[in-house]
Amino acid sequence: EVQLVESGGGLVQPGRSLRLSCAASGFTFQNYYIHWVRQAPGKGLEWVSAISWNSASIGYADSVKGRFTITRDDAKNSVYLQMNSLRVEDTAFYYCAKELRGHSDSSPDSWGQGTLVTVSS
Amino acid sequence: EIVLTQSPATLSLSPGEGATLSCRASQSVGSSLAWYQQRPGQAPRLLIYDATDRATGIPARFSGSGSGTDFTLTINSLEPDDFAVYYCQQRRHWITFGQGTRLEIK
């Protein structure tokens, strides 16, 4: 069974940093793109970042470019999102998700349950 | 950035009725379009991928159509569990989501 478990969320002051983790199991992790998607309370879904199976292709939403960094550790079946210079508007549930097909671009089919990041003074 | 516009924002229907949800892309995404259902307090659930293919375990009541810039999600014979928020998403260039359509009980 595919499982994705996010951790690392919490309350942080504006301007500070936080590192989210996504631990994966139940599939061949090193073959898949992994995405981070966020959702502010009561709002819609916003794509944040993605990393390809070989880390050769990495993308960020304009809203986080230059502040967030995505990495993966295939030995630990994990993806990380380093979030620096956090803003109040970064407050959201952060989900990690794997793509439907390995070694190709496809839509995410499995999602974690999310971790809440609250940026407030 | 590819912008996805969903309509209507809210759809009020009764169980047993059919629903038609639309998604328009600001430029062609080919068939790289997916639909998700999200219930309160839950993660999104993939319904349709590649514009027309049902994901594993999704009932045949759900169907997707379209290509290029105009896409439709059709839900036949609505059941109580179908009342939720639906998002379209493109994977032509990274990912963007539509703003969502809320399907509510009339």
Side-chain angles (χ1 to χ4, degrees):
Chain A
E1 178 193 3
V2 171
Q3 275 202 310
L4 296 154
V5 180
E6 304 92 340
S7 61
L11 175 62
V12 62
Q13 292 179 326
R16 304 298 291 266
S17 298
L18 209 56
R19 187 197 196 206
L20 304 184
S21 300
C22 170
S25 61
F27 63 100
T28 307
F29 179 79
Q30 61 263 36
N31 290 348
Y32 288 85
Y33 259 99
I34 302 293
H35 296 259
W36 286 99
V37 174
R38 69 185 180 183
Q39 186 170 36
K43 302 298 183 182
L45 300 170
E46 179 188 16
W47 176 76
V48 174
S49 182
I51 186 166
S52 65
W53 57 90
N54 57 3
S55 300
S57 183
I58 288 175
Y60 299 97
D62 288 344
S63 57
V64 307
K65 202 171 291 183
R67 300 188 298 123
F68 289 12
T69 303
I70 190 171
T71 56
R72 64 188 296 155
D73 183 340
D74 288 351
K76 295 183 178 179
N77 279 10
S78 293
V79 171
Y80 307 98
L81 187 68
Q82 178 66 42
M83 305 186 296
N84 298 332
S85 303
L86 281 162
R87 304 168 180 169
V88 171
E89 54 265 35
D90 294 319
T91 295
F93 286 93
Y94 284 73
Y95 297 98
C96 65
K98 69 167 273 292
E99 288 199 345
L100 175 65
R101 291 184 290 262
H103 291 143
S104 69
D105 298 353
S106 59
S107 293
D109 69 328
S110 298
W111 298 61
Q113 282 307 300
T115 187
L116 178 60
V117 172
T118 303
V119 184
S120 174
S121 54
Chain B
E1 177 184 327
I2 298 175
V3 176
L4 299 179
T5 302
Q6 292 186 240
S7 61
T10 304
L11 190 55
S12 299
L13 294 169
S14 301
E17 292 190 295
T20 301
L21 287 66
S22 297
C23 177
R24 175 164 289 178
S26 60
Q27 62 189 83
S28 177
V29 298
S31 61
S32 297
L33 194 286
W35 291 92
Y36 294 86
Q37 176 193 70
Q38 188 177 33
R39 298 179 179 130
Q42 295 186 13
R45 173 193 182 198
L46 179 65
L47 300 174
I48 302 289
Y49 64 94
D50 294 347
T52 60
D53 294 343
R54 270 189 304 278
T56 302
I58 302 303
R61 304 183 289 104
F62 293 86
S63 62
S65 62
S67 66
T69 61
D70 289 294
F71 301 86
T72 300
L73 174 69
T74 301
I75 312 171
N76 292 321
S77 190
L78 287 165
E79 297 188 0
D81 278 350
D82 297 338
F83 292 90
V85 180
Y86 293 82
Y87 295 93
C88 59
Q89 169 254 311
Q90 66 81 22
R91 188 60 182 98
R92 185 62 174 257
H93 179 67
W94 293 115
I95 281 180
T96 50
F97 291 94
Q99 81 279 18
T101 290
R102 179 177 303 277
L103 179 56
E104 64 177 26
I105 298 177
K106 187 174 183 180

